[in-house]
Amino acid sequence: EFVSRHELLRHYRAWCADCYNEQVAMGGAVYDLLLWVVLPVKICSRHRRPLNENCPNCQKRIRPTLKYYHPGSCPYCWTFLGAQKSDVTTAAIDDSDYELWVANNIGDLIAASPLAPGAAARQNAINAVNHCCNLLAEGNSHMLARLINIGKSTSREWVTGRAIPPLKALARLSYLTRIPLLKFLTEPDYVLELISKYPVEIEAHRIVGRKLHRENRIARQKVREHM
């Protein structure tokens, strides 16, 4: 109910070699983090390095459902997956600030999901997207589509409630508005209040003071309310 299943889970396993090394050093069980399964997560927020998807020895990718898989080991050559070099940092990532935001916020969402109410979750996501469309894109779903790099018909389906946005798109809206993803999905009134109080314009990953490019009925109504 929270998000679409489209582009939600990985088709191949991903992991952080430094996390595996820490688990071994602490003498506990070696395990995979649930966060690594989520497709939009590209980076380990703890060690700030890209997640690995290839075995350092045989370079094979590991499917999520294998009979003889053991966390931390390649099921094909049994190489320890923590042996990969850890000299790759966020400098090698196109937008490290964005990727860290996504990883941290999806982690918070996973942690809170067992206690989150599910009845109104779908409508909450739809309402939050509508608030962003109305106040950030001047009510134009096509403009919203350009902001988050999606198709025009797709954004129209989200605004009308015929489809739920995938997690990747919601995380991007969360980042561009700097509204925590958990609040974005559970508190649409908070989204409306924050964007109304601090109107912004999104421009190439940066938030700048917003200027209306054309007449906006919603903006005029906000001015009347404040006056």
Side-chain angles (χ1 to χ4, degrees), residues 15-69:
W15 61 88
C16 171
D18 288 345
C19 285
Y20 280 150
N21 288 325
E22 281 190 357
Q23 293 168 6
V24 171
M26 294 176 64
V30 177
Y31 60 92
D32 292 340
L33 275 66
L34 181 58
L35 190 62
W36 297 345
V37 182
V38 184
L39 182 60
V41 177
K42 308 295 184 184
I43 192 173
C44 172
S45 57
R46 178 178 175 82
H47 298 102
R48 300 195 173 193
R49 60 168 293 173
L51 297 179
N52 302 108
E53 292 185 339
N54 297 87
C55 170
N57 183 46
C58 65
Q59 295 300 313
K60 290 185 178 180
R61 304 173 76 184
I62 305 171
R63 291 194 175 274
T65 53
L66 289 175
K67 184 177 181 180
Y68 298 106
Y69 173 74

Side-chain angles (χ1 to χ4, degrees), residues 1 20 27 29 32 42 48 63 78 87 104 109 111 167 188 192 199 215-216 220:
E1 289 298 316
Y20 280 150
D32 292 340
K42 308 295 184 184
R48 300 195 173 193
R63 291 194 175 274
W78 299 106
D87 56 353
N104 286 324
L109 184 63
L167 188 58
L192 176 60
E215 188 174 335
N216 188 308
R220 289 204 313 273

